[in-house]
Amino acid sequence: MKNGKIDKNIVGVHIRRGDTYKQFQPIYKKHDMKLKTDESYIKDMNTEIKLNKNVKFFLATDNKNSFDKFKKLYKNRIISFPQTFFTQNCSPNNCDLMNQYKKGQHFAVIDLFILTKFKKLIGCYTSGFVKFYCIKKNITLASYMDKHKQNTI
């Protein structure tokens, strides 16, 4: 941000790998919903670099491994809101995250509103963040999905 204005060279990136990734797999499979792969994020981010050599990415994620991976790949192109990452208690036999208090939600809310300030968002159509972005930008989820042909897992 410079002089109160968002830098036009920043693209928002939302990577959800926490509770959604773990808990909702059975629901996703039942309804044939897909999560976006890391490879798909990388492809989309590399496309943005080809379009604009000055691009930077505001990375919003709830997963330290994802943050570290993308920071290693894109180094000084990654910016983020400083946060602490928390691990939810989830085992293969018991993954009832809905009844757990999720620490760090205040970071998610900050990320959510920051992401709406960018002209572009790279994210997954199953994410509430993408849906909120579409509402704030007055675009349909269908048009977002068409524009961001997604490779999913």
Side-chain angles (χ1 to χ4, degrees):
M1 186 187 285
K2 297 175 186 173
N3 300 322
K5 295 184 180 180
I6 298 291
D7 185 332
K8 65 180 178 173
N9 293 312
I10 300 174
V11 171
V13 179
H14 178 248
I15 301 175
R16 184 73 178 243
R17 294 288 185 254
D19 60 338
T20 297
Y21 196 72
K22 293 175 183 176
Q23 174 136 11
F24 297 120
Q25 287 298 320
I27 295 169
Y28 289 154
K29 287 178 185 174
K30 180 178 178 182
H31 297 286
D32 196 30
M33 297 169 66
K34 308 287 188 212
L35 292 173
K36 191 166 182 156
T37 64
D38 284 350
E39 291 74 24
S40 182
Y41 282 101
I42 291 166
K43 179 182 171 195
D44 290 348
M45 293 167 79
N46 288 342
T47 297
E48 291 299 326
I49 292 169
K50 288 176 188 170
L51 293 171
N52 177 359
K53 66 181 175 85
N54 297 315
V55 73
K56 292 191 182 244
F57 302 102
F58 178 85
L59 179 58
T61 184
D62 59 351
N63 184 274
K64 179 143 177 47
N65 292 337
S66 292
F67 180 85
D68 291 345
K69 177 179 184 173
F70 283 84
K71 183 71 173 170
K72 183 177 179 182
L73 282 171
Y74 295 103
K75 299 176 180 40
N76 65 341
R77 289 185 187 273
I78 297 292
I79 56 175
S80 65
F81 186 83
Q83 67 173 295
T84 303
F85 293 96
F86 297 94
T87 303
Q88 296 297 105
N89 297 323
C90 187
S91 68
N93 297 329
N94 182 13
C95 196
D96 184 16
L97 297 177
M98 295 305 284
N99 291 319
Q100 293 183 35
Y101 170 73
K102 185 172 178 185
K103 297 176 183 175
Q105 283 302 92
H106 56 292
F107 295 121
V109 172
I110 292 167
D111 283 344
L112 176 68
F113 283 95
I114 290 173
L115 288 171
T116 65
K117 299 300 180 186
F118 303 115
K119 289 185 179 184
K120 292 184 181 179
L121 173 64
I122 298 170
C124 182
Y125 75 95
T126 59
S127 165
F129 280 53
V130 168
K131 292 171 187 165
F132 186 75
Y133 179 86
C134 291
I135 291 167
K136 293 293 280 180
K137 296 296 184 182
N138 198 26
I139 58 175
T140 66
L141 183 59
S143 67
Y144 177 90
M145 289 170 60
D146 286 344
K147 187 175 179 182
H148 300 85
K149 296 172 181 57
Q150 297 191 356
N151 297 317
T152 54
I153 55 177

